[in-house]
Structures are given as C-alpha cells and as structure tokens.
Short mmCIF file of all heavy atoms in Angstrom, two decimals:
data_model
loop_
_atom_site.label_atom_id
_atom_site.label_comp_id
_atom_site.label_asym_id
_atom_site.label_seq_id
_atom_site.Cartn_x
_atom_site.Cartn_y
_atom_site.Cartn_z
N ALA A 319 7.68 14.04 11.42
CA ALA A 319 9.04 14.59 11.46
C ALA A 319 9.35 15.36 10.19
O ALA A 319 10.01 16.41 10.24
CB ALA A 319 10.05 13.47 11.66
N TRP A 320 8.88 14.84 9.05
CA TRP A 320 9.11 15.57 7.79
C TRP A 320 8.35 16.91 7.81
O TRP A 320 8.88 17.93 7.38
CB TRP A 320 8.68 14.70 6.61
CG TRP A 320 9.84 14.08 5.89
CD1 TRP A 320 10.20 14.31 4.59
CD2 TRP A 320 10.81 13.17 6.41
NE1 TRP A 320 11.33 13.59 4.28
CE2 TRP A 320 11.73 12.88 5.38
CE3 TRP A 320 11.01 12.56 7.64
CZ2 TRP A 320 12.82 12.01 5.54
CZ3 TRP A 320 12.08 11.70 7.83
CH2 TRP A 320 12.97 11.44 6.78
N ALA A 321 7.12 16.88 8.33
CA ALA A 321 6.35 18.12 8.40
C ALA A 321 7.01 19.13 9.33
O ALA A 321 6.99 20.35 9.07
CB ALA A 321 4.93 17.82 8.88
N GLU A 322 7.62 18.65 10.41
CA GLU A 322 8.29 19.55 11.36
C GLU A 322 9.46 20.29 10.72
O GLU A 322 9.83 21.37 11.19
CB GLU A 322 8.77 18.74 12.57
CG GLU A 322 7.64 18.25 13.46
CD GLU A 322 8.05 17.11 14.37
OE1 GLU A 322 9.27 16.80 14.43
OE2 GLU A 322 7.18 16.52 15.02
N THR A 323 10.03 19.73 9.67
CA THR A 323 11.15 20.38 8.99
C THR A 323 10.73 20.96 7.64
O THR A 323 11.58 21.34 6.83
CB THR A 323 12.30 19.38 8.77
OG1 THR A 323 11.84 18.30 7.96
CG2 THR A 323 12.82 18.85 10.10
N SER A 324 9.43 21.02 7.42
CA SER A 324 8.87 21.58 6.17
C SER A 324 9.44 20.87 4.94
O SER A 324 9.69 21.48 3.89
CB SER A 324 9.15 23.09 6.08
OG SER A 324 8.54 23.77 7.16
N THR A 325 9.63 19.55 5.06
CA THR A 325 10.10 18.74 3.96
C THR A 325 8.91 17.97 3.40
O THR A 325 8.15 17.37 4.15
CB THR A 325 11.18 17.74 4.43
OG1 THR A 325 12.20 18.46 5.13
CG2 THR A 325 11.79 17.00 3.25
N PRO A 326 8.72 17.97 2.08
CA PRO A 326 7.52 17.32 1.52
C PRO A 326 7.42 15.84 1.87
O PRO A 326 8.39 15.09 1.72
CB PRO A 326 7.69 17.51 0.00
CG PRO A 326 8.57 18.72 -0.12
CD PRO A 326 9.52 18.65 1.05
N ALA A 327 6.25 15.44 2.34
CA ALA A 327 5.97 14.04 2.64
C ALA A 327 4.57 13.73 2.14
O ALA A 327 3.60 14.39 2.55
CB ALA A 327 6.08 13.77 4.13
N TYR A 328 4.47 12.77 1.26
CA TYR A 328 3.18 12.32 0.75
C TYR A 328 2.87 10.98 1.42
O TYR A 328 3.55 9.99 1.19
CB TYR A 328 3.23 12.18 -0.78
CG TYR A 328 3.49 13.49 -1.46
CD1 TYR A 328 4.79 13.89 -1.79
CD2 TYR A 328 2.45 14.36 -1.77
CE1 TYR A 328 5.04 15.11 -2.41
CE2 TYR A 328 2.68 15.59 -2.38
CZ TYR A 328 3.98 15.96 -2.70
OH TYR A 328 4.23 17.16 -3.31
N CYS A 329 1.85 11.00 2.27
CA CYS A 329 1.58 9.86 3.13
C CYS A 329 0.27 9.18 2.70
O CYS A 329 -0.63 9.85 2.20
CB CYS A 329 1.51 10.31 4.59
SG CYS A 329 3.05 11.16 5.08
N TYR A 330 0.21 7.87 2.91
CA TYR A 330 -0.98 7.15 2.44
C TYR A 330 -1.35 6.01 3.38
O TYR A 330 -0.54 5.55 4.19
CB TYR A 330 -0.75 6.60 1.03
CG TYR A 330 0.20 5.43 0.95
CD1 TYR A 330 -0.23 4.12 1.17
CD2 TYR A 330 1.55 5.62 0.62
CE1 TYR A 330 0.64 3.04 1.10
CE2 TYR A 330 2.43 4.55 0.55
CZ TYR A 330 1.97 3.26 0.78
OH TYR A 330 2.84 2.20 0.71
N ARG A 331 -2.59 5.58 3.24
CA ARG A 331 -3.09 4.34 3.85
C ARG A 331 -3.74 3.53 2.74
O ARG A 331 -4.74 3.96 2.15
CB ARG A 331 -4.09 4.62 4.98
CG ARG A 331 -4.69 3.36 5.59
CD ARG A 331 -5.50 3.66 6.85
NE ARG A 331 -6.70 4.44 6.60
CZ ARG A 331 -7.90 3.92 6.34
NH1 ARG A 331 -8.06 2.61 6.27
NH2 ARG A 331 -8.95 4.71 6.15
N PHE A 332 -3.18 2.38 2.43
CA PHE A 332 -3.71 1.54 1.37
C PHE A 332 -4.82 0.66 1.94
O PHE A 332 -4.66 0.05 3.00
CB PHE A 332 -2.59 0.68 0.77
CG PHE A 332 -3.04 -0.17 -0.39
CD1 PHE A 332 -3.23 0.40 -1.64
CD2 PHE A 332 -3.28 -1.52 -0.22
CE1 PHE A 332 -3.66 -0.38 -2.71
CE2 PHE A 332 -3.71 -2.30 -1.28
CZ PHE A 332 -3.90 -1.74 -2.53
N ASP A 333 -5.95 0.56 1.21
CA ASP A 333 -7.14 -0.06 1.81
C ASP A 333 -7.91 -0.93 0.82
O ASP A 333 -9.14 -0.86 0.75
CB ASP A 333 -8.05 1.03 2.38
CG ASP A 333 -9.07 0.49 3.37
OD1 ASP A 333 -8.75 -0.47 4.08
OD2 ASP A 333 -10.20 1.03 3.41
N VAL A 334 -7.20 -1.79 0.08
CA VAL A 334 -7.85 -2.71 -0.85
C VAL A 334 -7.24 -4.09 -0.69
O VAL A 334 -6.02 -4.24 -0.73
CB VAL A 334 -7.70 -2.24 -2.32
CG1 VAL A 334 -8.25 -3.30 -3.28
CG2 VAL A 334 -8.41 -0.92 -2.53
N ARG A 335 -8.09 -5.10 -0.51
CA ARG A 335 -7.62 -6.48 -0.44
C ARG A 335 -7.64 -7.09 -1.82
O ARG A 335 -8.65 -7.11 -2.50
CB ARG A 335 -8.50 -7.30 0.51
CG ARG A 335 -8.05 -8.76 0.66
CD ARG A 335 -8.98 -9.55 1.56
NE ARG A 335 -10.32 -9.68 0.99
CZ ARG A 335 -10.69 -10.62 0.12
NH1 ARG A 335 -9.80 -11.51 -0.30
NH2 ARG A 335 -11.92 -10.67 -0.31
N SER A 336 -6.49 -7.63 -2.25
CA SER A 336 -6.42 -8.23 -3.58
C SER A 336 -6.95 -9.65 -3.57
O SER A 336 -7.23 -10.24 -2.52
CB SER A 336 -4.98 -8.19 -4.10
OG SER A 336 -4.11 -8.85 -3.22
N ALA A 337 -7.08 -10.24 -4.76
CA ALA A 337 -7.82 -11.50 -4.92
C ALA A 337 -7.08 -12.71 -4.38
O ALA A 337 -7.70 -13.75 -4.16
CB ALA A 337 -8.13 -11.70 -6.41
N ASP A 338 -5.78 -12.62 -4.19
CA ASP A 338 -5.02 -13.81 -3.77
C ASP A 338 -4.89 -13.93 -2.27
O ASP A 338 -4.15 -14.80 -1.77
CB ASP A 338 -3.62 -13.78 -4.41
CG ASP A 338 -2.80 -12.58 -3.98
OD1 ASP A 338 -3.39 -11.51 -3.80
OD2 ASP A 338 -1.57 -12.72 -3.85
N VAL A 339 -5.57 -13.08 -1.52
CA VAL A 339 -5.45 -13.07 -0.06
C VAL A 339 -6.78 -13.46 0.57
O VAL A 339 -7.83 -12.95 0.17
CB VAL A 339 -5.02 -11.67 0.43
CG1 VAL A 339 -5.07 -11.59 1.93
CG2 VAL A 339 -3.61 -11.36 -0.06
N PRO A 340 -6.78 -14.35 1.56
CA PRO A 340 -8.04 -14.73 2.22
C PRO A 340 -8.71 -13.53 2.87
O PRO A 340 -8.03 -12.62 3.36
CB PRO A 340 -7.57 -15.74 3.29
CG PRO A 340 -6.23 -16.21 2.85
CD PRO A 340 -5.61 -15.06 2.12
N PRO A 341 -10.03 -13.51 2.90
CA PRO A 341 -10.74 -12.38 3.50
C PRO A 341 -10.30 -12.08 4.93
O PRO A 341 -10.22 -10.92 5.32
CB PRO A 341 -12.20 -12.83 3.46
CG PRO A 341 -12.27 -13.74 2.28
CD PRO A 341 -10.96 -14.48 2.28
N LEU A 342 -9.98 -13.11 5.70
CA LEU A 342 -9.60 -12.90 7.09
C LEU A 342 -8.30 -12.11 7.22
O LEU A 342 -8.08 -11.45 8.24
CB LEU A 342 -9.46 -14.25 7.80
CG LEU A 342 -9.65 -14.25 9.32
CD1 LEU A 342 -11.02 -13.69 9.69
CD2 LEU A 342 -9.48 -15.66 9.87
N SER A 343 -7.46 -12.14 6.20
CA SER A 343 -6.21 -11.37 6.25
C SER A 343 -6.45 -9.88 6.03
O SER A 343 -5.62 -9.06 6.40
CB SER A 343 -5.23 -11.89 5.19
OG SER A 343 -4.80 -13.20 5.48
N GLY A 344 -7.58 -9.54 5.43
CA GLY A 344 -7.87 -8.13 5.17
C GLY A 344 -6.84 -7.51 4.26
O GLY A 344 -6.22 -8.17 3.42
N VAL A 345 -6.64 -6.21 4.44
CA VAL A 345 -5.65 -5.47 3.64
C VAL A 345 -4.32 -5.60 4.37
O VAL A 345 -3.87 -4.69 5.07
CB VAL A 345 -6.07 -4.00 3.46
CG1 VAL A 345 -5.12 -3.30 2.49
CG2 VAL A 345 -7.50 -3.92 2.94
N THR A 346 -3.71 -6.72 4.21
CA THR A 346 -2.55 -7.06 5.01
C THR A 346 -1.25 -6.56 4.39
O THR A 346 -1.25 -5.87 3.36
CB THR A 346 -2.53 -8.59 5.25
OG1 THR A 346 -1.56 -8.90 6.24
CG2 THR A 346 -2.21 -9.33 3.96
N HIS A 347 -0.16 -6.95 4.99
CA HIS A 347 1.18 -6.58 4.53
C HIS A 347 1.40 -7.06 3.10
O HIS A 347 0.95 -8.13 2.72
CB HIS A 347 2.20 -7.22 5.47
CG HIS A 347 3.57 -6.66 5.40
ND1 HIS A 347 3.84 -5.32 5.61
CD2 HIS A 347 4.77 -7.25 5.16
CE1 HIS A 347 5.15 -5.13 5.52
NE2 HIS A 347 5.73 -6.27 5.23
N PHE A 348 2.07 -6.23 2.29
CA PHE A 348 2.48 -6.55 0.92
C PHE A 348 1.38 -6.31 -0.11
O PHE A 348 1.61 -6.39 -1.31
CB PHE A 348 2.95 -8.02 0.83
CG PHE A 348 3.85 -8.31 -0.34
CD1 PHE A 348 5.19 -8.02 -0.29
CD2 PHE A 348 3.36 -8.90 -1.50
CE1 PHE A 348 6.04 -8.29 -1.36
CE2 PHE A 348 4.18 -9.18 -2.58
CZ PHE A 348 5.54 -8.88 -2.50
N GLU A 349 0.15 -5.99 0.32
CA GLU A 349 -0.98 -5.92 -0.61
C GLU A 349 -0.83 -4.84 -1.68
O GLU A 349 -1.35 -4.98 -2.78
CB GLU A 349 -2.28 -5.70 0.16
CG GLU A 349 -2.80 -6.94 0.84
CD GLU A 349 -2.96 -8.08 -0.13
OE1 GLU A 349 -4.01 -8.18 -0.78
OE2 GLU A 349 -2.01 -8.87 -0.27
N GLU A 350 -0.15 -3.76 -1.35
CA GLU A 350 -0.04 -2.66 -2.30
C GLU A 350 0.96 -2.92 -3.42
O GLU A 350 0.96 -2.22 -4.44
CB GLU A 350 0.32 -1.37 -1.55
CG GLU A 350 1.81 -1.12 -1.32
CD GLU A 350 2.48 -2.12 -0.39
OE1 GLU A 350 1.78 -2.89 0.30
OE2 GLU A 350 3.72 -2.14 -0.35
N VAL A 351 1.82 -3.92 -3.24
CA VAL A 351 2.95 -4.10 -4.17
C VAL A 351 2.48 -4.35 -5.60
O VAL A 351 2.95 -3.71 -6.55
CB VAL A 351 3.87 -5.23 -3.68
CG1 VAL A 351 4.90 -5.59 -4.75
CG2 VAL A 351 4.57 -4.84 -2.39
N SER A 352 1.55 -5.26 -5.80
CA SER A 352 1.09 -5.55 -7.16
C SER A 352 0.42 -4.34 -7.79
O SER A 352 0.48 -4.15 -9.02
CB SER A 352 0.12 -6.73 -7.15
OG SER A 352 -1.02 -6.47 -6.37
N PHE A 353 -0.20 -3.49 -6.98
CA PHE A 353 -0.84 -2.28 -7.49
C PHE A 353 0.22 -1.26 -7.93
O PHE A 353 0.11 -0.66 -9.00
CB PHE A 353 -1.75 -1.67 -6.42
CG PHE A 353 -3.03 -2.43 -6.21
CD1 PHE A 353 -3.04 -3.59 -5.45
CD2 PHE A 353 -4.23 -1.99 -6.76
CE1 PHE A 353 -4.21 -4.30 -5.24
CE2 PHE A 353 -5.41 -2.69 -6.56
CZ PHE A 353 -5.40 -3.87 -5.80
N VAL A 354 1.23 -1.06 -7.11
CA VAL A 354 2.28 -0.10 -7.44
C VAL A 354 3.00 -0.51 -8.73
O VAL A 354 3.28 0.33 -9.59
CB VAL A 354 3.29 0.02 -6.28
CG1 VAL A 354 4.54 0.77 -6.73
CG2 VAL A 354 2.65 0.71 -5.10
N PHE A 355 3.28 -1.80 -8.88
CA PHE A 355 4.03 -2.28 -10.04
C PHE A 355 3.13 -2.56 -11.24
O PHE A 355 3.64 -2.97 -12.29
CB PHE A 355 4.84 -3.52 -9.67
CG PHE A 355 6.08 -3.22 -8.89
CD1 PHE A 355 6.07 -3.24 -7.50
CD2 PHE A 355 7.25 -2.86 -9.53
CE1 PHE A 355 7.20 -2.94 -6.77
CE2 PHE A 355 8.40 -2.56 -8.81
CZ PHE A 355 8.37 -2.59 -7.43
N HIS A 356 1.85 -2.35 -11.09
CA HIS A 356 0.87 -2.62 -12.17
C HIS A 356 1.06 -4.03 -12.71
O HIS A 356 1.02 -4.27 -13.93
CB HIS A 356 1.01 -1.58 -13.28
CG HIS A 356 -0.24 -1.42 -14.11
ND1 HIS A 356 -1.47 -1.13 -13.57
CD2 HIS A 356 -0.46 -1.52 -15.45
CE1 HIS A 356 -2.37 -1.05 -14.52
NE2 HIS A 356 -1.78 -1.30 -15.68
N ASN A 357 1.23 -4.96 -11.79
CA ASN A 357 1.47 -6.35 -12.15
C ASN A 357 0.13 -7.07 -12.30
O ASN A 357 -0.21 -7.98 -11.54
CB ASN A 357 2.34 -7.02 -11.08
CG ASN A 357 2.85 -8.39 -11.49
OD1 ASN A 357 2.50 -8.91 -12.53
ND2 ASN A 357 3.68 -8.96 -10.64
N ILE A 358 -0.63 -6.67 -13.29
CA ILE A 358 -1.96 -7.21 -13.50
C ILE A 358 -1.89 -8.71 -13.83
O ILE A 358 -2.78 -9.48 -13.47
CB ILE A 358 -2.69 -6.46 -14.63
CG1 ILE A 358 -2.68 -4.94 -14.35
CG2 ILE A 358 -4.12 -6.96 -14.78
CD1 ILE A 358 -3.32 -4.54 -13.05
N ALA A 359 -0.83 -9.12 -14.50
CA ALA A 359 -0.68 -10.52 -14.87
C ALA A 359 -0.32 -11.40 -13.68
O ALA A 359 -0.43 -12.62 -13.76
CB ALA A 359 0.40 -10.66 -15.95
#
C-alpha cells in the first residue's frame, strides 16, 4: 500500500534466533527486540 502511493517503506524479514529461545521456536515473535535495542546485557 505504501508503494502504491509512492511513500517510502523499508521492509524487512528478521531471521536470527537468539540464545534465550528454544530451537523449536525458531525465529519467533519478539526475537528482533533485543537486537534493535542493542540490549547485549
């Protein structure tokens, strides 16, 4: 919809599973948050 109106849209697919999530969950909901906030601690 943003492209249809020539409005800038930067779209992404996040694809990294962090260490606190079981492998079976994969790259699940909320995974990107610690990366965005650089919450290394």
Side-chain angles (χ1 to χ4, degrees):
W320 256 243
E322 290 161 9
T323 60
S324 300
T325 307
Y328 297 93
C329 304
Y330 72 85
R331 177 170 66 91
F332 183 77
D333 197 33
V334 174
R335 181 182 65 85
S336 57
D338 62 325
V339 172
L342 204 58
S343 294
V345 187
T346 191
H347 197 57
F348 202 81
E349 284 305 274
E350 86 295 346
V351 170
S352 61
F353 286 79
V354 168
F355 283 94
H356 203 55
N357 190 356
I358 307 301

